[in-house]
Amino acid sequence: MKRRLIVGNWKMHKTIGEAVAFIDALLSLEPNLDEVDAVVCPPFTALAAVRDAIGTNRIGLGAQVMNAADYGAFTGQIAPRMLVDCGVRWVILGHSETRMYCGETDAGVNAKIGAALRHGLTPIVAVGETAEEHDAGRTRERVVAQARAAFAGYRPDEVARCVPAYEPIWAIGTGKSDNPQSADAVMAEIVAAVEGLEQTRMLYGGSVKADNLAAFAAQPHIDGGLVGGASLDAESFAELLAIARSADR
Ligand code: PGA
């Protein structure tokens, strides 16, 4: 049985003080982290302070984006080794918002997976269809194409070190989560399309909250959530961890 995993994607939220206050509040709730993995992805400016606030507690630190290059003339970009230097062990790649607002492409995600693995970072690789693609019945075709492009050229043992996340774009931040069974069916197609993924944990994302997480986590191909809005409050995040820990399958 794969350990459940909850990843909080804070997006462009929280100053250093707010981020540290979140970790302090979460730890004061004493979440049981024995049977569930928790990761928070603060903005770059708060990474070092969040690392210090986490200390030796079992909470992983992730980044929301990175460049594939080790160094160079890339104004505004952050290299994998800078993340590692900061205590980061996870990185979100291919989020629909970085695809949309930061020009992240399938080819870029593909290169960044290799860069992340080389530096010992676990890539959380997001794929998802737009509302138009969903309505046109093109969901599976779209996400399978994205997953194939992301993982092209990697050996199954490398693919197995990644965590794919299926996030229907129309479900992100809208309160309209997907139906757990249909999300699971899409995720089964993703697994079937890329050798190695059967060994990984897979996340669903898109309006995950305390009242729907159990239904997602009960699905055979869903091992946890990539969570935006509901990860910003410590009590809400602790509740998600408790639900993921005890979800039936
Ligand atoms: P949401 O965001 O939980 O606020 O829908 C999810 C995400 O973008 O990863």
Side-chain angles (χ1 to χ4, degrees):
M1 171 92 146
K2 296 171 183 168
R3 264 173 96 91
R4 299 298 204 316
L5 167 65
I6 300 293
V7 179
N9 173 11
W10 290 358
K11 308 191 179 183
M12 201 170 72
H13 293 285
K14 298 193 192 292
T15 61
I16 294 173
E18 290 161 353
V20 169
F22 173 99
I23 299 297
D24 291 346
L26 179 63
L27 293 176
S28 74
L29 295 167
E30 301 184 358
N32 185 335
L33 299 170
D34 289 344
E35 288 157 32
V36 62
D37 288 332
V39 174
V40 291
C41 302
F44 289 133
T45 47
L47 283 173
V50 168
R51 171 201 62 205
D52 293 345
I54 290 172
T56 56
N57 290 285
R58 283 197 78 248
I59 300 171
L61 187 62
Q64 301 172 18
V65 65
M66 71 170 199
N67 197 284
D70 280 352
Y71 55 85
F74 301 108
T75 301
Q77 300 289 302
I78 300 287
R81 58 191 288 271
M82 297 171 184
L83 297 179
V84 172
D85 185 42
C86 222
V88 168
R89 295 292 175 266
W90 303 74
V91 61
I92 300 172
L93 301 178
H95 191 282
S96 59
E97 287 154 14
T98 55
R99 290 180 193 260
M100 197 167 5
Y101 303 126
C102 312
E104 192 157 62
T105 60
D106 282 341
V109 172
N110 180 262
K112 290 175 188 186
I113 288 174
L117 293 177
R118 256 196 322 280
H119 289 274
L121 295 161
T122 299
I124 299 165
V125 182
V127 298
E129 83 284 6
T130 62
E132 294 72 40
E133 288 161 346
H134 179 77
D135 294 345
R138 294 184 48 225
T139 296
R140 292 176 191 208
E141 169 199 332
R142 182 76 190 110
V143 300
V144 164
Q146 281 180 326
R148 285 206 171 111
F151 295 110
Y154 293 105
R155 299 187 310 264
D157 64 296
E158 293 171 320
V159 171
R161 289 161 57 201
C162 304
V163 174
Y166 169 50
E167 296 204 306
I169 298 172
W170 49 270
I172 295 177
T174 58
K176 283 193 277 174
S177 61
D178 199 357
N179 165 304
Q181 287 77 21
S182 45
D184 187 68
V186 173
M187 290 164 74
E189 300 263 349
I190 298 171
V191 173
V194 182
E195 204 186 337
L197 287 185
E198 69 288 346
Q199 296 174 56
T200 71
R201 291 184 287 186
M202 307 253 299
L203 304 179
Y204 167 79
S207 298
V208 169
K209 298 195 172 37
D211 62 7
N212 61 23
L213 176 61
F216 284 105
Q219 302 300 320
H221 300 93
I222 304 182
D223 304 297
L226 178 54
V227 190
S231 76
L232 292 172
D233 172 77
E235 275 189 30
S236 162
F237 192 65
E239 199 180 349
L240 296 177
L241 292 172
I243 293 166
R245 215 181 129 253
S246 56
D248 292 332
R249 186 173 278 165

